[in-house]
Amino acid sequence: MEYNKTLNLPKTKFPMKANLPQKELQIQKVWNELKLYDLIQEKNKNKRKFILHDGPPYANGNIHIGHALNKILKDIIVKYKSMSDFSVPFVPGWDCHGLPIEFQLFKKLGISKNEIERVKFRRKAAEYALKFVKVQREEFKRLGIFADWENPYLTIAHSYESGTIRVFKELVKKGYIYRGLKPVYWCLSCETALAEAEVEYMDHSSPSVFVKFALTEESLSLLGKEKFTFLPSVLIWTTTPWTLPANQALCFHPEFDYAVTHCEVSSDKEDVLIVAKDLLPSLMDKIGVKKYKIIKVLKGKELTGIKCRHPFLEKISVGVVDNFVSLEEGTGVVHIAPGHGQEDYAVGLRNNLPIYSPVDEKGKFTKEVELFSGRNVWECNSEIVEKIKELGNLLYTEEIVHSYPHCWRCKNPVIFRSTEQWFMQVDKNNLRHIVFAESGKVNWIPSAGEKRMKAMVENRPDWCLSRQRYWGIPIPVFYCQGCNEPLLSEEAIEKVEQLFGKEGSDSWFIRKPEEILSPEIKCQKCGKKIFRKEEDILDVWFDSAASSEAVLKENDFLSWPADLYLEGSDQHRGWFQVSLLISCALQNKAPFRSVLTHGFVVDGEGKKMSKSLGNVIAPQEIIKDYGADILRLWVSSENYSEDIRLSDEIVSQSVDTYRRIRNTIRYLSANLSDFNVEQKVPYEELEEIDKWALHKLQKLIGDVICGYQEYQFHRVYKLIHNFCAVELSSFYLDVLKDRLYTFSADSGERKSAQTVMFDILLNIVKLLAPVLSHTCEEVWPYLFQKEKSVFLSDFPLENKESENNGLEEKWEKILKVKGIVTRALEKARGAKIVGNSLEAKIEIYTADADWYQFLQENKNVWTTVFIVSQVNFFNREGSSDAYSDGNLLPLKIVVSFALGKKCVRCWNYSECVWEDSSHPQLCQRCLKVVQNMVSNA
RNA sequence: GGGCCUAUAGCUCAGUUAGUUAGAGCGCACCCCUGAUAAGGGUGAGGUCCUCCGUGCAAAUCGGAGUAGGCCCA
């Protein structure tokens, strides 16, 4: 007789080999057909809401690993919350406007801004963005992300654009919006503003000049009581002499030492110069001074407020301090023209200097600079140098070649030129303080986010909202054709808001002002009724900053504020900050209760991923080779609060972990092929070890829930993996084999094991579903549940009634004994005494009365727990050659080959009577089982 | 250059209020099994807790400096 046919061996159709890349597609197809996302919403519609507001990724290009990480983290939360008593509508979003798209498209079309009509271009840009929305949507769906994919929010949707204008309107109403000057890159030949991405750095030859700014009489006292034979001068260095007419200040570093130095410039010329002390030797060498003497040394901050004469104009330049001043080159004093440089502009703002820029759009000096009026700034460079020399304020000049920004189209050098821009005032209505206070109420995860946000808000300048671009939401402002006064009226903007809601923002460039405005409206200043439209568009950050207003407020099934924003840590500066700013301006309140940030994906060495380093790993590759669940498992395994590493080694670790979990699930299900829920054994009747396993399961459930609630998914990952590998595979399931396989199929003992295995399987599948979504859905049909999907089931709750801490303590001790026995067995295996552990007979010796009693009390479990054929124990000290485990346990173990005969069915050895003539190779236990089967057959 | 963050075994992570010999799982090596089989079990080897200095009776843990890396600015 083939006795293995009488065994209850595992049986399942659930494949060992996952073949995820294919299998996942089938599962996703089923999800689609079920309309699972809708079913989940329907199921949870009356529960309390949890709003995770999606930060819109930029709709250009395929998704990269950072996108995958971000959306998977969100998805884990959405799924966990959806299964745990929350209604979690998740509306994905895309950022569709902005320079990167515009830039890419112009490149693709091979043309520049002036070579295409604006509306025509905008239609192409919209098409381009929508194409990538579709691409990314498919890629996100391929990751197994659940969301309202059919109804995402797009920043180019009419309703969204209208919502953005509404936000602008509210800001105008509350007085946040003003017009001011700001320097931007400007191409003189194209007569246009350029974005940073549109300038290229190329070598350029410029005059390098060292120029004196003489102190005024009144400032001499700042230098102390010294009498000077020569009027001291502050020495600056610049490579853009043409910006000198716009000079407003001289900037010192507050902490640097500045030397007031007497120099013999030449045999007949002497000077007193103020420069950074550390630069003195190289500087004197450069300008050819052989003899010099330091008269006095001052800290930069002591020079604050010093007044100097302009080197060739009748005006005063004032001393200011700033940390950006460096000792790399020059004199340690920086000439500041706030209208002609970014750094200068920032210094200007901090010191309330005029943003002065007397240069027109063709790059010619305006009438304000009489000397050079109407002349091109480049042409004037040399004349300015001549003029300074003439007045004796030039100490040194040479031509230098350096890297300088050029226009990407016409390749000419560009300048910084101030133009009128729209701003949002950060200090209006106490906004900065409100933002600060609201930040303090937000739950930042990790908590350092609060510090980072506050530091940023504290220092940020007003927000420049204007962009001289094509692809964005227009700034809804009209100008009087008569007096050029901007029309900043709530009523007018509301017309635009309504128009965009109907026709979208392209209509701004199609409709005439009179088609938009009501006929009664007139200029508040001069009363004229003819207007022109603003050409500039809004900074793309304004679009996304409006999302909580344009999405959460506009949809009844959502709510405001959001419970959670979850993005990369770069968004402290980006989306979080601008959203906070807008929300506090409009609502005096943060738009989010919690903000969770994750780090960036870096390679195995912790270096950033870049094409040039060749260490980029694409999510598409991982999906193709291993499947989305592997990627999801990797996401869950990493502590995302820091940098997140990814390498081939790390992926293969996820693959290994996946296999272990999958096999454990498969094995559990394979042993449940003849089990159904009606056969469940009541708790009281369970075998003790089964109660122990149930206890462990409940603890696991509690810990895993804790992990999910605190968004610590790597804890979830570790807990479940350890449970599968340690509690289940290496112990419980291994020990159970004898009972499952050899006991009669319907025996209470076997059903007891199956009852618990079923519980374990069902719960593990649910616990893992937010992470291994496809795999858990794949096993779901093997669990005969009423729900059509694991995601329509309820998340487990920790059942404390199935817990028994006393039992756990006792089994901990039993496991310790198993530990020493397996070590003894391993030694015996090495000595070729036994191979398979069932070939072993174990003798345990202990002189310790308590331990002996413990062994005695549990005498029924030992063979099972050790998976050996025989166990004897003795209340006496074992011989010296018996195995002992240091002094960890007062036990000594002797391993010998088991006594008696091996039963061919259960492989246990026994000395029982082998009497049955028809089954002479069966032990008594198996004999009964087999006889039973035969009589039942 | 500035703000924020990180550094524990080959990998992913623990390590509480400073308190025995710094832990887990995986991987690796070796062994067993062949009734979870492109599986399963066992044993074992792996650590300058990034470096240096300091404070403590005592430091992975607290303080300072540095190195390497990340994000954001400049």
Side-chain angles (χ1 to χ4, degrees):
Chain A
M1 189 171 180
E2 290 177 83
Y3 289 113
N4 60 354
K5 297 249 166 76
T6 70
L7 293 168
N8 315 299
L9 293 179
K11 200 173 105 192
T12 182
K13 285 189 177 147
F14 186 76
M16 172 176 279
K17 190 169 183 305
N19 196 11
L20 289 174
Q22 272 87 53
K23 190 76 192 177
E24 285 172 348
L25 294 174
Q26 294 167 23
I27 290 166
Q28 288 173 2
K29 195 165 160 237
V30 174
W31 284 341
N32 265 335
E33 285 162 2
L34 270 179
K35 292 192 184 301
L36 183 55
Y37 175 82
D38 296 340
L39 293 181
I40 294 169
Q41 301 314 311
E42 177 62 23
K43 176 192 174 217
N44 295 333
K45 64 182 175 190
N46 295 323
K47 296 175 180 168
R48 62 202 149 134
K49 283 196 197 313
F50 182 87
I51 303 299
L52 168 50
H53 183 39
D54 192 30
Y58 205 67
N60 66 338
N62 295 73
I63 66 165
H64 56 65
I65 197 73
H67 291 115
L69 167 77
N70 176 260
K71 278 287 199 293
I72 290 172
L73 287 173
K74 285 170 178 164
D75 191 51
I76 292 173
I77 293 171
V78 167
K79 283 173 175 158
Y80 162 69
K81 292 276 181 188
S82 287
M83 291 172 77
S84 321
D85 228 23
F86 285 93
S87 167
V88 194
F90 183 62
V91 180
W94 273 278
D95 207 348
C96 302
H97 286 127
L99 187 65
I101 287 175
E102 180 170 335
F103 198 65
Q104 259 183 35
L105 189 53
F106 273 127
K107 240 181 187 166
K108 208 179 118 192
L109 298 173
I111 52 171
S112 74
K113 230 170 103 179
N114 304 321
E115 298 171 63
I116 185 168
E117 197 262 323
R118 194 189 268 252
V119 175
K120 203 170 157 196
F121 178 81
R122 287 172 61 91
R123 292 201 170 131
K124 281 186 188 294
E127 218 174 275
Y128 184 86
L130 287 174
K131 177 183 133 193
F132 281 109
V133 166
K134 278 193 187 136
V135 167
Q136 293 191 358
R137 176 168 63 184
E138 289 316 303
E139 290 178 323
F140 286 141
K141 281 162 94 170
R142 182 59 190 85
L143 293 172
I145 312 290
F146 287 179
D148 194 355
W149 294 118
E150 300 314 307
N151 305 294
Y153 77 86
L154 305 180
T155 58
I156 48 171
H158 293 356
S159 59
Y160 195 98
E161 291 182 329
S162 163
T164 310
I165 298 298
R166 195 194 91 221
V167 170
F168 188 82
K169 180 186 73 183
E170 299 294 328
L171 292 176
V172 167
K173 198 164 134 189
K174 297 188 173 200
Y176 284 105
I177 304 297
Y178 73 96
R179 197 153 165 76
L181 288 166
K182 189 186 182 219
V184 294
Y185 284 111
W186 190 273
C187 177
L188 310 183
S189 46
C190 303
E191 291 180 43
T192 181
L194 294 175
E196 207 140 330
E198 290 177 311
V199 302
E200 299 174 346
Y201 281 79
M202 295 193 281
D203 278 349
H204 177 68
S205 173
S206 302
S208 160
V209 292
F210 289 82
V211 181
K212 291 195 299 180
F213 279 67
L215 259 65
T216 57
E217 307 286 339
E218 57 171 305
S219 287
L220 280 176
S221 58
L222 277 169
L223 302 184
K225 287 177 188 134
E226 275 87 353
K227 290 271 184 275
F228 298 98
T229 16
F230 305 93
L231 195 59
S233 298
V234 174
L235 190 64
I236 64 100
W237 170 71
T238 180
T239 56
T240 51
W242 66 266
T243 61
L244 284 168
N247 172 280
Q248 298 295 332
L250 300 174
C251 190
F252 304 87
H253 191 288
E255 301 306 327
F256 290 172
D257 284 329
Y258 289 87
V260 183
T261 312
H262 180 267
C263 317
E264 288 181 24
V265 178
S266 54
S267 51
D268 56 341
K269 201 161 169 263
E270 292 171 50
D271 248 325
V272 175
L273 300 175
I274 301 173
V275 295
K277 188 174 160 237
D278 290 355
L279 288 169
L280 204 50
S282 60
L283 202 58
M284 292 296 123
D285 190 43
K286 177 127 206 156
I287 62 178
V289 173
K290 301 221 164 51
K291 269 182 85 180
Y292 61 92
K293 197 177 131 209
I294 297 174
I295 302 167
K296 190 179 174 73
V297 174
L298 293 151
K299 285 272 181 220
K301 57 189 171 196
E302 295 176 78
L303 293 161
T304 311
I306 193 170
K307 288 200 174 106
C308 300
R309 283 184 221 289
H310 192 275
F312 58 93
L313 296 173
E314 279 303 314
K315 59 190 245 179
I316 296 296
S317 189
V318 62
V320 297
V321 293
D322 214 287
N323 288 325
F324 90 97
V325 176
S326 85
L327 294 173
E328 300 259 306
E329 32 184 14
T331 65
V333 190
V334 180
H335 136 65
I336 299 291
H340 289 302
Q342 279 179 324
E343 204 102 61
D344 303 47
Y345 174 69
V347 173
L349 287 186
R350 283 194 281 270
N351 293 283
N352 283 318
L353 303 171
I355 312 300
Y356 180 58
S357 175
V359 175
D360 70 13
E361 63 273 17
K362 290 191 166 62
K364 293 177 175 163
F365 281 111
T366 62
K367 285 184 188 133
E368 290 170 280
V369 187
E370 267 181 64
L371 272 173
F372 308 104
S373 171
R375 310 268 314 278
N376 177 287
V377 292
W378 297 122
E379 287 170 26
C380 293
N381 253 347
S382 53
E383 278 179 53
I384 290 172
V385 176
E386 270 311 305
K387 184 82 191 166
I388 301 168
K389 197 172 176 183
E390 199 181 305
L391 296 171
N393 288 323
L394 186 75
L395 272 188
Y396 182 79
T397 179
E398 64 179 337
E399 282 289 313
I400 61 158
V401 174
H402 60 152
S403 175
Y404 189 86
H406 289 68
C407 174
W408 71 299
R409 286 305 306 179
C410 71
K411 309 296 179 196
N412 285 310
V414 301
I415 63 166
F416 267 106
R417 175 177 173 261
S418 289
T419 52
E420 294 221 292
Q421 313 275 342
W422 289 101
F423 288 87
M424 175 176 170
Q425 197 179 345
V426 180
D427 285 303
K428 184 83 184 177
N429 304 335
N430 212 20
L431 179 60
R432 198 186 298 272
H433 294 105
I434 294 168
V435 169
F436 212 79
E438 280 302 303
S439 294
K441 295 181 195 163
V442 171
N443 176 28
W444 298 94
I445 311 162
S447 56
E450 181 176 350
K451 220 195 290 180
R452 195 168 167 176
M453 179 60 68
K454 284 183 169 173
M456 234 139 35
V457 169
E458 204 162 25
N459 297 315
R460 75 152 297 152
D462 285 352
W463 181 3
C464 178
L465 301 175
S466 317
R467 293 293 182 275
Q468 292 72 45
R469 306 301 321 174
Y470 274 9
W471 187 226
I473 299 180
I475 296 176
V477 178
F478 298 86
Y479 296 90
C480 174
Q481 285 284 41
C483 69
N484 216 25
E485 177 75 5
L487 178 70
L488 258 193
S489 94
E490 203 189 322
E491 190 202 337
I493 298 172
E494 202 161 293
K495 294 280 184 202
V496 179
E497 184 189 337
Q498 286 161 4
L499 178 70
F500 285 12
K502 272 187 244 138
E503 301 178 12
S505 63
D506 279 357
S507 57
W508 179 259
F509 305 102
I510 297 168
R511 301 280 182 184
K512 295 189 177 102
E514 54 270 30
E515 293 178 81
I516 304 172
L517 294 166
S518 66
E520 305 85 61
I521 206 148
K522 55 186 178 190
C523 174
Q524 287 138 328
K525 199 173 160 195
C526 74
K528 286 220 174 69
K529 284 188 173 182
I530 309 168
F531 295 93
R532 64 176 171 88
K533 296 169 296 185
E534 169 67 87
E535 297 273 306
D536 289 358
I537 58 168
L538 286 164
D539 176 10
V540 70
W541 281 113
F542 193 86
D543 293 31
S544 57
S547 72
S548 81
E549 293 287 327
V551 178
L552 301 185
K553 283 250 174 82
E554 303 283 338
N555 291 288
D556 291 339
F557 62 97
L558 300 173
S559 64
W560 191 101
D563 292 285
L564 183 65
Y565 277 33
L566 189 168
E567 306 297 332
S569 59
D570 57 332
Q571 297 304 328
H572 283 112
R573 177 80 197 179
W575 193 46
F576 302 149
Q577 194 203 187
V578 292
S579 299
L580 194 56
L581 216 51
I582 292 296
S583 208
C584 288
L586 262 53
Q587 318 286 343
N588 290 319
K589 210 173 149 186
F592 33 67
R593 295 195 175 98
S594 298
V595 174
L596 188 155
T597 50
H598 55 78
F600 276 64
V601 181
V602 294
D603 73 7
E605 268 75 55
K607 299 249 167 64
K608 79 154 90 180
M609 287 190 174
S610 74
K611 273 188 195 154
S612 58
L613 282 174
N615 56 358
V616 176
I617 296 182
Q620 293 84 354
E621 290 293 309
I622 297 178
I623 291 170
K624 182 167 71 70
D625 295 343
Y626 307 102
D629 272 9
I630 297 301
L631 199 55
R632 301 178 64 98
L633 193 61
W634 163 73
V635 167
S636 80
S637 74
E638 298 268 342
N639 179 355
Y640 57 74
S641 66
E642 305 157 13
D643 301 332
I644 303 137
R645 293 185 182 215
L646 181 60
S647 62
D648 291 344
E649 185 185 9
I650 293 169
V651 172
S652 83
Q653 183 174 3
S654 284
V655 173
D656 285 338
T657 304
Y658 176 82
R659 268 208 290 266
R660 166 50 62 116
I661 293 173
R662 184 180 177 91
N663 253 313
T664 306
I665 287 175
R666 176 173 182 268
Y667 184 73
L668 286 165
S669 113
N671 281 288
L672 291 164
S673 58
D674 65 333
F675 182 77
N676 65 64
V677 206
E678 281 85 62
Q679 299 171 326
K680 269 195 155 186
V681 175
Y683 181 79
E684 304 74 39
E685 293 168 28
L686 292 174
E687 299 287 313
E688 192 175 280
I689 189 172
D690 299 335
K691 286 183 179 168
W692 170 86
L694 211 48
H695 167 92
K696 283 297 202 183
L697 172 68
Q698 296 309 326
K699 289 284 186 200
L700 174 76
I701 292 171
D703 292 343
V704 166
I705 288 174
C706 217
Y708 275 119
Q709 276 176 345
E710 289 168 18
Y711 307 130
Q712 302 259 318
F713 310 128
H714 66 279
R715 260 169 60 198
V716 171
Y717 164 89
K718 199 176 168 180
L719 282 163
I720 297 181
H721 181 223
N722 274 18
F723 188 71
C724 288
V726 182
E727 267 83 17
L728 295 183
S729 266
S730 89
F731 177 62
Y732 182 59
L733 297 180
D734 205 25
V735 161
L736 234 43
K737 282 172 189 165
D738 184 63
R739 179 153 40 120
L740 288 166
Y741 300 170
T742 70
F743 281 49
S744 80
D746 295 324
S747 63
E749 292 93 335
R750 188 158 175 277
K751 290 298 161 195
S752 169
Q754 285 181 315
T755 299
V756 173
M757 287 173 81
F758 181 81
D759 247 25
I760 290 173
L761 177 59
L762 181 61
N763 283 296
I764 282 187
V765 166
K766 289 179 174 187
L767 292 178
L768 268 173
V771 177
L772 293 181
S773 301
H774 304 87
T775 304
C776 292
E777 194 73 305
E778 187 188 350
V779 243
W780 190 247
Y782 294 82
L783 288 159
F784 0 99
Q785 298 296 295
K786 58 179 191 300
E787 298 91 357
K788 285 183 186 150
S789 157
V790 62
F791 297 104
L792 294 169
S793 73
D794 292 328
F795 210 71
L797 293 172
E798 183 180 353
N799 177 6
K800 300 224 166 161
E801 282 172 28
S802 317
E803 287 179 19
N804 183 334
N805 290 322
L807 205 62
E808 179 172 14
E809 229 171 274
K810 173 177 155 184
W811 278 80
E812 206 113 297
K813 209 166 164 186
I814 290 174
L815 281 167
K816 268 188 196 158
V817 181
K818 181 176 163 86
I820 185 172
V821 169
T822 52
R823 279 185 288 276
L825 269 169
E826 185 63 19
K827 213 178 157 199
R829 199 172 281 132
K832 304 286 177 201
I833 296 168
V834 292
N836 185 327
S837 63
L838 282 175
E839 289 168 5
K841 176 186 139 191
I842 301 294
E843 287 170 350
I844 309 175
Y845 294 89
T846 182
D848 183 300
D850 292 341
W851 269 102
Y852 182 75
Q853 197 191 339
F854 184 73
L855 294 172
Q856 188 73 37
E857 279 168 1
N858 297 291
K859 61 180 179 206
N860 294 328
V861 309
W862 301 121
T863 54
T864 313
V865 165
F866 303 156
I867 319 183
V868 297
S869 284
Q870 290 128 20
V871 177
N872 295 315
F873 39 89
F874 308 93
N875 192 5
R876 61 168 194 267
E877 188 71 34
S879 70
S880 57
D881 53 351
Y883 180 85
S884 84
D885 201 351
N887 290 321
L888 286 176
L889 296 176
L891 305 177
K892 282 192 173 171
I893 313 294
V894 174
V895 179
S896 53
F897 202 88
L899 304 173
K901 253 167 70 179
K902 177 182 178 181
C903 169
V904 295
R905 186 169 175 275
C906 72
W907 296 346
N908 278 279
Y909 285 76
S910 61
E911 292 182 287
C912 65
V913 193
W914 301 74
E915 59 188 5
D916 192 271
S917 52
S918 52
H919 302 290
Q921 294 173 288
L922 292 192
C923 69
Q924 287 187 338
R925 196 182 66 177
C926 285
L927 183 64
K928 275 181 204 156
V929 175
V930 171
Q931 280 171 341
N932 236 330
M933 288 174 78
V934 172
S935 63
N936 286 344

